[in-house]
Amino acid sequence: MENSRPNDTPLVTSIIHAASSELSPISNGGNGRQIMKLVINGDSHTQAHLGQVITHYLASLQPHRQRFLGYPTNEEFNYEALAPLLHLHLNNAGDPFHGSSFTLNSTSFEVSVLDWFANLWDIEKNEYWGYVTTGGTEGNLHGLLLGREQFPDGILYASQDSHYSVFKIARMYRMQCIKVASLISGEIDCHDLKALLLANKHKPAIINLNIGTTMKGAVDDIDLVIKILDKAGFSRDRFYIHCDGALFGIMLPFLKSGGPKITFKKPIGSITISGHKFLGCPIPCGVVIARLNYINALSRDIGYIASRDATITGSRSGHAPIFLWYNLQKKGIMGIKNEVENCIRNARYLKDQLGDAGIGAMLNEFSNTVVFEKPLDDEFVSRWSLACNGNIAHVVVMQHVTIQMLDSFVAELVHNRSIWFQEDGIRKSLCIADEVGAVNCSCALHKANMDIQPNNYALQQIKQNV
């Protein structure tokens, strides 16, 4: 069977179809204007024709933006003031703290962004190193590489709820990787971690911790993991901790109700976040911060660029640091705090709305990721851009997600469920107890049990004494 092309999604296919015929009319008020093919065939085309293609493409994206619920990217931003920068190629090759001979760079903006995050995570300027990456995966690539360079024979421990990039990185670096069990919440199971550490005491530990898991938004307990390492006999010089904070690494410090503290005052080696997620950026990007003393093992002086190379990539976007700098400056501390609280508040609203409609749902404390039963119709899943895994799906409530959007989603979901689960006049809900816990499941069996048991999700979160 022939493999499908990776860009053959319904959206891209519809755009290609609309633009592929020589005389395909664009949907622009029925004025009869034509657009050219998307196929690059060597012919040159006028600016007007190219503009028509982009206009059509932008129009096709708007309905998707209005129902974009399943992925943690902030679609609420405006960078029009930075448009003149698109007339320049900006390249931050090399070490942002050493400069380079490629003078069209934005390393001054990059260092300013890095200093902001270093301050957020409590590490002094003379003690950290970092750079603006292409996203969370590159941040994980860099952080886990530092761990491997410190402990070439170390074992990587990562919970089963860790981002898929972590296990890909283990294969790329040929690291021994042990997958640790997760709790129902998605948090790493520290009982299992302790048993695995004790069974492998002869090798150092490289531990990936999640500051907001991909599917459930769970935050691993750094303090408890450090305690377990100590009890298992791992001294500070025999472990390395990398924190994957792709979405929540920047949100957690601004929670009104507090929460676990992510700080370099604890014995962690590196933290990474994705810049295009909570902050919002038109291109994928991220930030990685690590302890400076770990960097020398990776660093090499490169005469060609008159700089030091310690990054995963060579050339790096010079535009991304400016987008991040502009965003941080424009929002300010209070602006970020208000956005965090609004996202959390709206996520709780969605969870309550689903519960009131009899739909099983889970929301971790300190999270904006609402997990619920997977819709049975792929068209519905695609329409709302939902992310699914097994029997569950989730909505990540970001800045662009309004109460009106959530109301529309719930109303449509409820209407469709009445059709999907209709059998002999009786509506049947999916059982998702294995994924979110019995207390959060609305199937007939668990709903009946909850009538006689307290509906206290906190009971599911009590950690056993380790």
Side-chain angles (χ1 to χ4, degrees):
M1 180 176 169
E2 199 174 279
N3 290 330
S4 61
R5 291 167 56 186
N7 66 347
D8 283 347
T9 62
L11 171 59
V12 174
T13 302
S14 66
I15 295 167
I16 292 175
H17 176 74
S20 61
S21 66
E22 291 289 355
L23 298 174
S24 298
I26 60 173
S27 55
N28 191 0
N31 56 16
R33 288 190 294 170
Q34 310 297 307
I35 62 174
M36 64 177 197
K37 289 182 177 180
L38 287 181
V39 176
I40 301 173
N41 56 16
D43 297 334
S44 67
H45 297 274
T46 66
Q47 191 72 27
H49 281 190
L50 295 175
Q52 287 177 344
V53 173
I54 299 303
T55 298
H56 180 84
Y57 176 61
L58 285 171
S60 71
L61 291 176
Q62 288 310 307
H64 296 271
R65 185 179 184 275
Q66 293 165 8
R67 295 188 296 270
F68 196 79
L69 293 182
Y71 294 90
T73 59
N74 172 12
E75 301 296 326
E76 193 70 34
F77 54 79
N78 186 334
Y79 291 105
E80 290 181 2
L82 304 184
L85 294 174
L86 296 180
H87 295 286
L88 293 169
H89 171 79
L90 301 177
N91 194 320
N92 287 6
D95 188 327
F97 297 93
H98 281 233
S100 81
S101 56
F102 194 100
T103 55
L104 290 173
N105 66 66
S106 67
T107 53
S108 57
F109 289 90
E110 185 172 15
V111 171
S112 180
V113 169
L114 297 172
D115 283 345
W116 190 92
F117 279 97
N119 182 64
L120 182 70
W121 295 322
D122 300 317
I123 186 168
E124 297 297 323
K125 289 185 179 183
N126 62 347
E127 296 178 354
Y128 91 88
W129 186 89
Y131 70 102
V132 172
T133 67
T134 58
T137 292
E138 186 180 346
N140 288 339
L141 273 163
H142 196 276
L144 294 176
L145 180 59
L146 290 177
R148 193 201 67 176
E149 292 299 295
Q150 292 299 305
F151 305 114
D153 63 337
I155 297 175
L156 172 61
Y157 298 86
S159 79
Q160 63 187 23
D161 277 53
S162 296
H163 190 262
Y164 63 84
S165 68
V166 173
F167 305 105
K168 176 173 66 177
I169 289 164
R171 295 194 301 273
M172 291 172 65
Y173 291 160
R174 300 185 183 276
M175 300 171 71
Q176 181 181 355
C177 180
I178 296 180
K179 191 175 289 189
V180 185
S182 297
L183 303 176
I184 283 292
S185 66
E187 185 180 339
I188 192 169
D189 184 338
C190 286
H191 269 284
D192 192 41
L193 175 62
K194 183 178 181 181
L196 293 169
L197 288 169
L198 288 171
N200 296 279
K201 289 183 64 174
H202 59 291
K203 288 190 175 183
I206 302 167
I207 299 180
N208 178 81
L209 294 183
N210 301 302
I211 314 304
T213 56
T214 306
M215 197 65 200
K216 297 180 178 179
V219 177
D220 291 339
D221 190 328
I222 295 178
D223 295 328
L224 185 56
V225 168
I226 292 170
K227 178 181 176 183
I228 287 171
L229 284 163
D230 181 60
K231 286 190 173 183
F234 285 79
S235 56
R236 180 65 187 87
D237 60 349
R238 295 192 65 243
F239 69 83
Y240 181 97
I241 295 176
H242 170 68
C243 296
D244 179 2
L247 169 64
F248 218 57
I250 187 173
M251 295 179 67
L252 198 59
F254 294 96
L255 285 177
K256 185 176 182 179
S257 56
K261 189 166 179 58
I262 312 303
T263 171
F264 277 94
K265 294 186 182 302
K266 300 174 183 180
I268 59 178
S270 50
I271 305 175
T272 185
I273 62 105
S274 295
H276 56 280
K277 291 183 178 174
F278 183 79
L279 285 179
C281 189
I283 55 176
C285 61
V287 170
V288 62
I289 298 290
R291 295 184 186 276
L292 179 60
N293 59 303
Y294 291 142
I295 298 301
N296 289 334
L298 296 181
S299 301
R300 299 290 184 274
D301 290 332
I302 307 297
Y304 176 68
I305 57 173
S307 187
R308 187 175 68 161
D309 179 38
T311 65
I312 296 294
T313 58
S315 293
R316 305 193 313 281
S317 169
H319 290 88
I322 303 177
F323 285 126
L324 295 177
W325 173 88
Y326 183 86
N327 204 323
L328 291 170
Q329 293 281 56
K330 186 176 180 180
K331 293 180 190 296
I333 294 297
M334 288 308 301
I336 295 174
K337 181 178 176 63
N338 290 337
E339 288 186 6
V340 169
E341 292 175 358
N342 190 57
C343 289
I344 298 295
R345 182 168 53 249
N346 288 350
R348 290 170 181 165
Y349 173 84
L350 173 59
K351 200 268 185 181
D352 291 342
Q353 293 300 105
L354 291 170
D356 291 344
I359 300 172
M362 180 185 82
L363 175 63
N364 273 309
E365 188 177 13
F366 313 125
S367 180
N368 61 328
T369 301
V370 181
V371 185
F372 56 98
E373 63 187 43
K374 177 184 176 181
L376 297 185
D377 181 13
D378 289 342
E379 185 176 341
F380 181 90
V381 170
S382 178
R383 173 175 164 80
W384 289 96
S385 298
L386 300 179
C388 303
N389 186 36
N391 289 324
I392 58 174
H394 76 200
V395 165
V396 187
V397 182
M398 303 299 292
Q399 291 92 325
H400 67 277
V401 178
T402 63
I403 292 295
Q404 291 76 17
M405 192 185 301
L406 295 176
D407 286 342
S408 178
F409 168 73
V410 173
E412 192 171 319
L413 179 59
V414 169
H415 171 74
N416 281 276
R417 285 175 87 252
S418 67
I419 300 171
W420 301 332
F421 299 143
Q422 200 72 24
E423 184 177 322
D424 298 329
I426 301 174
R427 195 174 82 178
K428 294 185 177 181
S429 297
L430 292 175
C431 180
I432 54 174
D434 287 345
E435 286 90 349
V436 300
V439 72
N440 296 304
C441 180
S442 66
C443 75
L445 173 64
H446 294 109
K447 187 175 181 181
N449 288 342
M450 290 312 300
D451 290 339
I452 58 175
Q453 295 177 1
N455 184 10
N456 187 358
Y457 176 68
L459 294 175
Q460 303 294 319
Q461 300 300 296
I462 296 176
K463 300 166 189 164
Q464 300 175 14
N465 184 12
V466 295

